Amino acid sequence: MPQPRYRDALGHALSDKRIDILRAIGRTGSISQAARDAAVSYKAAWQAIDTLSNLAGVALVERVVGGAGGGGARLTGQGVELLALADELELARQQVHARRAGAGGSSGTTPAFAGLALRTSMRNQLPARVLSLEGSGHIVRVALAVGEGRMAARITRESAQLLGLAPDMPVIALCKATAVRVIRDGAGAPASQGNWLAGSVSRVARGDSGDEVSMSLAPGLQLVGFAEGASGLRTRQRVTAAVDESAVVVALGA
């Protein structure tokens, strides 16, 4: 039997609903009831189970066939163990925040502190705030305030439900540097769709396959992307970054 990877399963924020769904399955013996308790769709509940099981590397939920209720679901031994560990981590987190608040410091709940808990290959991790959620089908467009500008992400409705996204919620917007195209101001007219972020060049690293450009969106807010090779871009030059909305990931901090 493979060894559970509980650290991977709990390496993300506990503030989304995946752990709550797992806990509700243990309490009710029903995935559909767990979905109702967490105010998400049945499909979203299964997405939560699949994601946690993939990260843990072991099955956390098993089906129960037959019986007076016609069957249901229950936690495996590893699922029970994962919940116990989640409780311990949440208690430790609350104790750390309480100590910080008692000492007159920050409780660590701002996006800037929350981002420190993320470990990802994505170079761009931007503190943001949810402005609105739009869409009536399977895809939700999440409008975000980032510094003095705005950007948007397109995610599935199930993902929005599991994160519990709502207006004014602090989040972190992530995207790969390779998904950001940097162009000189005036070199191309912005399209009506997609993210177009204005800023100025802070650093340029020349390369045969493209110039890596760090640009300042606002004081203390940097975005990294790529311009065409031999772009000729210079420090302090005004530029625009184009980022497809589907390339933006929305995350919650710890």
Side-chain angles (χ1 to χ4, degrees):
M1 176 180 293
Q3 291 297 311
R5 298 190 300 269
Y6 295 139
R7 179 176 178 179
D8 290 345
L10 296 174
H12 298 264
L14 300 182
S15 51
D16 68 25
K17 298 186 177 182
R18 294 175 301 181
I19 295 297
D20 291 338
I21 290 169
L22 198 65
R23 199 183 309 280
I25 292 171
R27 184 178 66 252
T28 67
S30 167
I31 296 173
S32 57
Q33 184 60 51
R36 287 191 290 271
D37 289 353
V40 302
S41 68
Y42 183 72
K43 182 180 177 183
W46 266 113
Q47 178 177 312
I49 296 168
D50 290 343
T51 299
L52 285 175
S53 296
N54 287 344
L55 291 170
V58 293
L60 303 175
V61 175
E62 60 185 4
R63 289 183 179 275
V64 178
V65 180
R74 65 187 174 201
L75 300 183
T76 64
Q78 289 86 357
V80 173
E81 193 171 357
L82 179 68
L83 286 182
L85 181 56
D87 290 340
E88 291 182 32
L89 290 174
E90 176 61 16
L91 178 60
R93 185 188 69 84
Q94 292 177 2
Q95 291 173 342
V96 170
H97 288 177
R99 285 199 301 270
R100 290 287 299 165
S106 168
S107 66
T109 57
T110 64
F113 278 96
L116 297 177
L118 291 174
R119 294 187 300 164
T120 172
S121 64
M122 294 192 185
R123 298 274 299 278
N124 295 306
Q125 303 180 31
L126 309 174
R129 179 173 56 85
V130 176
L131 295 174
S132 64
L133 295 95
E134 308 165 357
S136 57
H138 296 297
I139 303 300
V140 173
R141 184 177 187 269
V142 185
L144 303 167
V146 179
E148 300 172 355
R150 294 188 177 191
M151 66 189 308
R154 291 188 180 273
I155 64 177
T156 65
R157 184 165 299 279
E158 290 75 28
S159 293
Q161 290 178 349
L162 291 174
L163 290 171
L165 297 182
D168 292 328
M169 177 181 288
V171 296
I172 302 167
L174 304 96
C175 65
K176 298 167 61 175
T178 52
V180 179
R181 181 167 60 94
V182 180
I183 59 175
R184 188 193 316 267
D185 269 11
S192 57
Q193 295 183 341
N195 294 304
W196 294 84
L197 305 172
S200 59
V201 176
S202 54
R203 295 187 306 277
V204 181
R206 310 294 180 188
D208 294 336
S209 58
D211 294 346
E212 181 180 304
V213 181
S214 296
M215 57 183 288
S216 175
L217 301 178
L221 197 60
Q222 297 287 318
L223 184 71
V224 181
F226 285 85
E228 293 183 356
S231 65
L233 292 176
R234 304 182 306 277
T235 302
R236 292 187 294 277
Q237 187 170 2
R238 296 296 298 177
V239 290
T240 300
V243 188
D244 189 275
E245 293 181 357
S246 297
V248 179
V249 174
V250 180
L252 300 183

